[in-house]
Amino acid sequence: MAVWFLLPLLLLAAVALLLLRRSRLRRQAPKLLGRTLFNLTTGDIVQYDGRDWVVEDRLLYDDGGFQWLEYLLRDGRDGRWLSVCEDDWLEVSWLEDAPASELEGLSADFPDHLRCRGQLYHLKETGRASVSAAARVMNRRLHGCRFGDYEGEEGRVLSLERWEEGDDPGPPELSLGRRIDPAAPVLLPGDGRTVYR
């Protein structure tokens, strides 16, 4: 007869344990979901264009409160930039560094039009951004940069940056690429360590 009195208590304990377990799973849900374009960290893997790219650094740009991310990615000796900007919609670009000497029409800091590798690009926006790096100490980047973002045909993009070193802007740094579908890269969590040190 004592067993029947314990049955409601055992049932109540089982329900309490189940609710506690569900609460823990909800708190852990963001960790279980993996990586997004907004939370990649050093050592994570970006699978894109048939290759595995390791996240080497995460740069946060801030232009008067408007922020965007750029991830430095490496696969062997090759490097790329994954740029993530959320404004009215999510814009993701895949870029690689190029010599600034390939630019035609760089008569001013950020002219309205530039030509590079036979393609014409039109100025979309310019500004000045402070920049913070997550993984490395890059002293020159602590000052920030002036930037010009350009667009070409068929989703082509060109990024021109002049890093501030003291009171003077440095030489132009050029990146070329294209807009990509935000769902195209496969994002995998890594071990939090760089493989290139």
Side-chain angles (χ1 to χ4, degrees):
M1 191 141 183
V3 173
W4 291 105
F5 288 109
L6 292 177
L7 189 58
L9 290 175
L10 291 172
L11 184 60
L12 184 60
V15 169
L17 185 60
L18 179 63
L19 290 175
L20 180 63
R21 193 171 197 191
R22 287 180 76 191
S23 173
R24 282 187 194 152
L25 286 174
R26 281 192 189 126
R27 285 194 306 264
Q28 292 176 353
K31 295 176 189 171
L32 297 174
L33 292 177
R35 297 294 186 244
T36 70
L37 291 170
F38 300 100
N39 69 0
L40 291 170
T41 61
T42 301
D44 288 346
I45 307 297
V46 176
Q47 293 179 330
Y48 184 72
D49 211 17
R51 296 170 72 176
D52 290 348
W53 301 88
V54 178
V55 176
E56 281 295 294
D57 206 352
R58 176 183 189 261
L59 304 181
L60 176 64
Y61 288 71
D62 189 317
D63 180 12
F66 182 77
Q67 297 182 333
W68 66 97
L69 293 166
E70 289 191 6
Y71 297 99
L72 173 60
L73 309 175
R74 296 269 184 215
D75 180 19
R77 293 183 180 181
D78 294 333
R80 296 292 185 274
W81 292 97
L82 179 65
S83 177
V84 179
C85 179
E86 185 177 37
D87 194 1
D88 293 332
W89 55 84
L90 182 60
E91 291 182 359
V92 178
S93 299
W94 187 258
L95 302 149
E96 66 180 302
D97 292 335
S101 60
E102 294 187 18
L103 288 171
E104 300 173 32
L106 189 60
S107 57
D109 278 353
F110 301 103
D112 291 337
H113 307 284
L114 283 173
R115 188 171 289 278
C116 187
R117 297 182 181 174
Q119 300 294 322
L120 182 64
Y121 294 87
H122 306 280
L123 182 64
K124 180 182 171 188
E125 64 182 308
T126 63
R128 184 197 178 284
S130 62
V131 183
S132 59
R136 296 190 175 159
V137 178
M138 295 182 278
N139 291 328
R140 69 185 178 124
R141 299 198 173 189
L142 297 178
H143 298 287
C145 73
R146 293 172 48 218
F147 66 89
D149 290 332
Y150 292 79
E151 293 183 337
E153 294 181 359
E154 300 175 3
R156 290 185 180 92
V157 292
L158 182 151
S159 174
L160 189 60
E161 297 176 343
R162 291 182 181 268
W163 291 93
E164 296 173 347
E165 299 172 5
D167 294 331
D168 298 320
E173 292 186 11
L174 172 66
S175 298
L176 293 172
R178 65 189 183 280
R179 295 225 189 285
I180 63 171
D181 180 349
V186 175
L187 311 174
L188 303 171
D191 60 8
R193 295 181 303 178
T194 177
V195 296
Y196 296 102
R197 285 192 183 159

